Amino acid sequence: MKLNICHLYPDLLDLYGDRGNILALAARCRWRGIEPVIRQASLGEDLDFMGMDILFLGGGSDREQGLLVQDLMRRGDELRSAIENGLVVLSICGGYQMLGKFYQMAGGEKIQGLGILDVWTSAGAKRLIGNVVVELDEGVLNGNSKFRTLVGFENHSGKTFLGAGVKPLGKVLVGNGNNGDDGGEGVRYRNVFGTYLHGPLLPKNPHFADLLLELAILRRGLGTRLRELDDSLEELAHEAMVNRLLKQA
Ligand code: GLN
């Protein structure tokens, strides 16, 4: 079995170790005998979204978001169709903002977003920086997961607000999340996940990596469950981080 995993704009959207998410997905495929086919695509390069199983968009600064917006817009219709068809997408910070309606920078200027997610973002007066612990909403993870928490690191000035039709991934136990005000972090729409958590996210949260992989194989009709891996070290690391951060909070 093969899974097609794409890092879109790897040269522009790759902050704070975001590429580690691709490495984690690839490793967790290989450990199970699934062949990960990694594709990178940047400005001007073709990409067949429908042929992808998982799409990854990392974080980037306002400058990089401005550089890629036109290229992203020309891909909008195809990406939207693939998402409606169940494409699994992980988008972090700047990438998350670009899937929403717009990102308004500190000076007032707006960077257009694809509007696939019913969210919008405005730069706040202070940057939201630090470690984050999120308690995922019931129903985000499949029943078998050992943890209901995500750990990660955020660094953004954007404050993201969710429209009535979408829900956050969960509630912030430590840190700021979407906007520092309403206690929510991230969003889910169909198989699209948006979050502010860098870190990188997936090595720190292997249960979340497996959720993405499971959704991808389910969409392709290749099964419903992944073979379990020995995640004892990853789980110890996750637990240690959650406990440390909760104690400090
Ligand atoms: N430009 C965005 C912000 O500061 C994105 C930052 C990021 O991707 N880490 O809100």
Side-chain angles (χ1 to χ4, degrees), residues 227-246:
R227 185 159 61 75
E228 271 200 38
L229 298 174
D230 176 6
D231 279 331
S232 38
L233 284 178
E234 289 86 343
E235 287 170 5
L236 277 175
H238 181 92
E239 247 159 7
M241 200 60 191
V242 169
N243 292 338
R244 186 193 311 167
L245 293 173
L246 288 179

Side-chain angles (χ1 to χ4, degrees), residues 13 15-16 18 58-65 92-97 103 105 111 121-124 127 153-160 196 198:
L13 297 183
L15 282 179
Y16 317 119
D18 282 340
S61 68
D62 296 7
R63 178 180 163 274
E64 276 121 15
Q65 287 173 265
I92 314 254
C93 202
Y96 167 30
Q97 295 171 356
Y103 169 50
M105 292 185 282
I111 299 179
T121 306
S122 299
R127 287 197 79 78
F153 165 78
E154 62 182 341
N155 186 350
H156 51 112
S157 62
K159 297 175 85 169
T160 296
Y196 273 107
H198 297 274

Side-chain angles (χ1 to χ4, degrees), residues 85-196:
N85 184 261
L87 174 67
V88 177
V89 180
L90 175 62
S91 59
I92 314 254
C93 202
Y96 167 30
Q97 295 171 356
M98 301 299 287
L99 293 181
K101 293 179 172 168
F102 62 82
Y103 169 50
Q104 182 161 33
M105 292 185 282
E109 202 188 324
K110 272 187 187 173
I111 299 179
Q112 195 190 345
L114 286 172
I116 293 174
L117 301 175
D118 184 14
V119 307
W120 60 93
T121 306
S122 299
K126 75 170 171 67
R127 287 197 79 78
L128 306 175
I129 307 176
N131 288 310
V132 183
V133 180
V134 178
E135 182 181 56
L136 289 167
D137 276 357
E138 203 115 18
V140 173
L141 292 169
N142 47 29
N144 282 5
S145 178
K146 187 148 183 206
F147 298 112
R148 281 266 308 277
T149 41
L150 289 181
V151 285
F153 165 78
E154 62 182 341
N155 186 350
H156 51 112
S157 62
K159 297 175 85 169
T160 296
F161 299 92
L162 274 50
V166 285
K167 283 190 175 166
L169 281 181
K171 111 172 168 253
V172 167
L173 301 180
V174 177
N176 297 283
N178 280 333
N179 50 54
D181 298 329
D182 64 18
E185 172 14 65
V187 73
R188 177 176 184 176
Y189 168 70
R190 298 182 73 89
N191 286 341
V192 181
F193 298 86
T195 174
Y196 273 107

Side-chain angles (χ1 to χ4, degrees), residues 42-95:
S42 193
L43 301 179
E45 290 170 348
D46 284 341
L47 180 65
D48 166 26
F49 287 113
M50 216 46 116
M52 291 298 131
D53 294 302
I54 301 181
L55 178 74
F56 175 68
L57 277 163
S61 68
D62 296 7
R63 178 180 163 274
E64 276 121 15
Q65 287 173 265
L67 287 176
L68 63 83
V69 60
Q70 281 200 331
D71 189 86
L72 186 65
M73 288 302 139
R74 81 178 167 87
R75 303 178 191 269
D77 289 347
E78 268 188 59
L79 178 54
R80 189 184 302 270
S81 305
I83 284 172
E84 293 306 318
N85 184 261
L87 174 67
V88 177
V89 180
L90 175 62
S91 59
I92 314 254
C93 202

